[in-house]
Amino acid sequence: MKKAKYILVLMMLVTISTLQAQNKYIDKKGTLTFEASEELFEPVKATNESVTAILNDGTNEIAALALMKGFRFKNSLMEEHFNENYIESETYPKATFRGKLLDIDLTTLTAAETEVKVDGKIALHGKEKQINTTLKISKSGDVITIKGEFTVAPADFDIEIPSVVKNKIAKEVKVILDFKLAKK
Amino acid sequence: MNKKKILISGLIIASIVTLLVYNYVFNSKHRNIAEEKATVVLTAGELHSDFTANESLATTNYLDKVIKTTGKITAIEGNDVVLNDGVQVSFSAVNAAGYKEGTAVTIKGRCVGYDELLELVKIDQATLINK
């Protein structure tokens, strides 16, 4: 009798969890650009076109990962310096973001862009930083598009900029993201 | 008069050399992965299991290296393909070679690192070696 009760509870739990089925949306080829250019100097800008992003529409959790070696600069010397001297990509090969979209029901998204607040942590160069920003989100068919930009400071991640190039690199680095996440 | 000539030509040569050196250092070209020789040759399965077994060791061994690898195409997305569900390969050009899902291919490209979210090793600037 007791056993039957347990089985019943178990079955109910299984039913509930399938009712609240969560969908994962994945982008394997997201775009992340950062720019730390100063006027009059050569642009300091790089783009990574193979950023991973995962969004769970049940929990609103979002995670993204960019491999540092995937950032391509126009100037190869700048790319070398970025990898070897600043970001130290052999020791810290990736940047990650883990967070949550706030106050939004992802199942009600439409093709019209909506603003959404996001709260999370960026891990980069062995350091973590809390970040709150606003992104633009929309959905058409089975694809959720997330776009936005925010700024970070190299100092937040213990990235030292030598005084020789200090005035050629902006103190605030602009980060622009563009993810197209497909339902999996 | 003669001394002056030598001095002037010397100055011209020196400035040309300076320009060339400057150009070489500050405007040097990007690596051309397609023309570089692969320094690491292994299967897509081996590459993936090396990263899952010991990520930091695999990073030291493979990061930024030109890798030649063989595997079965398990997914195609734009100009990216996934080999053996474990290695994401980003080609420089969109599917010009006409590869298909389920076929085995050999590719050459640069290892960019390991993506633990999708559990994929990433390779970029790849070229197809054979179908």
Side-chain angles (χ1 to χ4, degrees):
Chain A
M1 187 58 206
K2 229 178 183 179
K3 216 175 186 180
K5 233 181 193 170
Y6 276 126
I7 290 170
L8 196 72
V9 170
L10 199 73
M11 276 171 67
M12 273 166 72
L13 279 175
V14 169
T15 325
I16 290 166
S17 61
T18 40
L19 277 177
Q20 298 178 323
Q22 298 165 352
N23 291 309
K24 262 191 178 173
Y25 288 80
I26 296 177
D27 188 359
K28 276 192 206 132
K29 292 160 58 66
T31 309
L32 199 62
T33 301
F34 73 81
E35 184 160 16
S37 306
E38 282 287 30
E39 251 181 85
L40 305 174
F41 289 105
E42 196 176 351
V44 180
K45 186 179 178 185
T47 303
N48 187 331
E49 287 174 345
S50 109
V51 178
T52 298
I54 300 180
L55 176 67
N56 183 322
D57 76 351
T59 60
N60 284 12
E61 278 169 334
I62 182 168
L65 183 149
L67 292 163
M68 301 328 295
K69 283 277 184 192
F71 281 101
R72 307 302 310 277
F73 290 72
K74 205 174 144 203
N75 182 320
S76 68
L77 187 73
M78 214 182 264
E79 190 170 308
E80 196 181 313
H81 286 170
F82 167 77
N83 280 299
E84 284 171 15
N85 307 343
Y86 302 113
I87 218 82
E88 297 169 271
S89 55
E90 306 241 327
T91 321
Y92 310 107
K94 55 193 118 190
T96 56
F97 171 79
R98 277 172 204 280
K100 218 168 179 178
L101 301 178
L102 306 175
D103 311 320
I104 193 165
D105 181 0
L106 292 174
T107 54
T108 62
L109 288 177
T110 62
E113 272 186 355
T114 333
E115 294 212 324
V116 60
K117 283 208 168 66
V118 59
D119 192 355
K121 264 187 187 148
I122 295 179
L124 168 73
H125 196 247
K127 288 272 166 296
E128 268 197 355
K129 191 188 186 279
Q130 189 74 34
I131 183 151
N132 305 295
T133 187
T134 306
L135 301 170
K136 288 194 178 101
I137 191 164
S138 61
K139 185 180 180 185
S140 79
D142 275 341
V143 178
I144 293 181
T145 303
I146 299 178
K147 287 180 184 177
E149 57 177 79
F150 56 92
T151 56
V152 286
D156 292 338
F157 300 98
D158 275 1
I159 297 167
E160 270 178 60
I161 311 290
S163 52
V164 197
V165 291
K166 217 154 207 169
N167 52 359
K168 293 184 188 174
I169 300 174
K171 307 276 168 297
E172 295 264 284
V173 179
K174 192 160 93 180
V175 183
I176 304 147
L177 62 94
D178 189 346
F179 298 151
K180 284 180 184 60
L181 306 108
K183 193 170 173 177
K184 283 282 137 73
Chain B
M1 189 60 200
N2 214 2
K3 250 188 185 169
K4 213 174 180 183
K5 253 187 189 164
I6 293 169
L7 193 74
I8 289 173
S9 47
L11 270 174
I12 291 171
I13 291 168
S15 54
I16 290 172
V17 169
T18 318
L19 255 172
L20 285 177
V21 169
Y22 179 87
N23 200 42
Y24 178 76
V25 173
F26 291 97
N27 297 313
S28 58
K29 280 197 183 128
H30 279 280
R31 290 169 70 183
N32 187 344
I33 305 295
E35 278 174 14
E36 276 186 43
K37 251 201 142 127
T39 48
V40 180
V41 180
L42 75 185
T43 68
E46 283 165 356
L47 183 61
H48 184 253
S49 58
D50 281 355
F51 270 98
T52 42
N54 187 340
E55 197 185 328
S56 61
L57 180 70
T59 301
T60 317
N61 288 340
Y62 303 137
L63 191 67
D64 221 23
K65 298 271 186 338
V66 179
I67 291 180
K68 191 168 131 183
T69 185
T70 306
K72 202 174 87 178
I73 296 177
T74 47
I76 300 179
E77 213 174 292
N79 50 350
D80 281 28
V81 301
V82 177
L83 302 180
N84 290 28
D85 288 318
V87 180
Q88 184 183 342
V89 179
S90 218
F91 286 109
S92 321
V94 181
N95 198 356
Y99 40 76
K100 278 202 289 281
E101 235 173 272
T103 54
V105 288
T106 300
I107 63 97
K108 183 175 78 173
R110 179 186 71 138
C111 181
V112 200
Y114 183 68
D115 172 349
E116 80 248 10
L117 289 180
L118 297 175
E119 297 175 333
L120 286 174
V121 180
K122 290 201 175 185
I123 287 180
D124 75 353
Q125 299 168 70
T127 40
L128 193 68
I129 303 221
N130 64 34
K131 276 198 258 182

